[in-house]
Amino acid sequence: MSRRRAALEVTARHCGRELDQYGQCVAAKPESWQRDCHHLKMSIARCTSNHPVIRQIRQACAEPFEAFEECLRQNEAATGNCAEQMHRFLQCAEQVQPANPPATVQVK
């Protein structure tokens, strides 16, 4: 499995409900999703900020992620114009290695 897919699956596994709600909102409001779905986007951000792997990706890839977000803001009605920015962000996310969780001590 690619790291990109792994990162997306981590997000989906831990924040799937939030992702589904946001996706449904965006699909239902093609002209105004940026404004009308903002609260759902924030719920994804809250959820992902609590997961260490996703936190690492957001920290390591802040610059390409912000460029992608800015592109989405400027192209609300034509988000397909942001494929290049999204690709750069996902390329960065692929390079992030999850930190190893601390070793647990087993008590016998």
Side-chain angles (χ1 to χ4, degrees), residues 53-71 73 85 88-93 96:
V53 173
I54 299 169
R55 262 203 315 261
Q56 276 183 273
I57 290 171
R58 289 174 66 114
Q59 189 174 1
C61 305
E63 198 173 307
F65 183 71
E66 285 170 16
F68 176 49
E69 290 255 287
E70 181 61 26
C71 181
R73 275 193 291 278
Q85 288 84 347
R88 268 190 248 128
F89 168 66
L90 291 176
Q91 270 188 318
C92 177
V96 175

Side-chain angles (χ1 to χ4, degrees), residues 11 15 43-52 54-55 58:
T11 304
C15 307
S43 72
I44 294 171
R46 275 192 302 276
C47 179
T48 58
S49 69
N50 292 325
H51 196 279
I54 299 169
R55 262 203 315 261
R58 289 174 66 114

Side-chain angles (χ1 to χ4, degrees), residues 77-99:
T79 56
N81 293 345
C82 301
E84 174 75 20
Q85 288 84 347
M86 183 181 80
H87 181 69
R88 268 190 248 128
F89 168 66
L90 291 176
Q91 270 188 318
C92 177
E94 276 186 14
Q95 306 306 314
V96 175
Q97 296 290 330

Side-chain angles (χ1 to χ4, degrees), residues 8-79:
L8 294 174
E9 284 186 5
V10 165
T11 304
R13 185 165 48 246
H14 294 280
C15 307
R17 188 174 55 85
E18 291 84 350
L19 283 170
D20 286 346
Q21 289 174 344
Y22 183 59
Q24 288 169 10
C25 182
V26 169
K29 300 173 183 279
E31 301 300 319
S32 61
W33 66 270
Q34 193 75 17
R35 180 185 63 245
D36 292 345
C37 306
H38 183 72
H39 66 288
L40 294 170
K41 182 177 161 190
M42 292 298 98
S43 72
I44 294 171
R46 275 192 302 276
C47 179
T48 58
S49 69
N50 292 325
H51 196 279
V53 173
I54 299 169
R55 262 203 315 261
Q56 276 183 273
I57 290 171
R58 289 174 66 114
Q59 189 174 1
C61 305
E63 198 173 307
F65 183 71
E66 285 170 16
F68 176 49
E69 290 255 287
E70 181 61 26
C71 181
L72 289 178
R73 275 193 291 278
Q74 293 173 1
N75 293 279
E76 284 186 29
T79 56

